[in-house]
Amino acid sequence: VITVSRGLLESSIRNCLKGRILHITDNGKSVDLKVLSGEFFEAVITKESFQNMKLEPGAEVYLNIKASSIEVF
């Protein structure tokens, strides 16, 4: 699981990375985010969440990552 937030979350997730949105792709009901946080990460969120968080290219976000969800290419 990778969640995206505008600030640090109080949760059991221990891998929290601060980054900036580089690219946004609108897929209708979902939105793909490309985030730079030392490395490039891609996250998919609902369009509703995207709109509620008022995200845009250059916005600072936190990626909250469960280690089991990482795929290395």
Side-chain angles (χ1 to χ4, degrees):
V1 172
I2 299 176
T3 63
V4 178
S5 61
R6 284 287 216 164
L8 286 173
L9 298 178
E10 188 173 323
S11 76
S12 64
I13 296 175
R14 297 292 172 232
N15 302 297
C16 300
L17 304 172
K18 185 176 174 182
R20 292 217 176 265
I21 297 174
L22 297 181
H23 186 74
I24 296 168
T25 303
D26 186 337
N27 296 315
K29 292 188 178 193
S30 67
V31 176
D32 293 342
L33 303 176
K34 187 167 190 176
V35 178
L36 178 60
S37 178
E39 297 292 331
F40 292 103
F41 292 85
E42 292 188 17
V44 180
I45 62 173
T46 65
K47 189 158 191 176
E48 181 179 3
S49 292
F50 173 78
Q51 292 169 336
N52 288 343
M53 289 191 283
K54 299 180 174 121
L55 298 176
E56 59 187 26
E60 184 176 280
V61 293
Y62 288 84
L63 301 174
N64 309 289
I65 304 165
K66 284 296 227 188
S68 60
S69 67
I70 297 294
E71 294 181 31
V72 179
F73 299 95

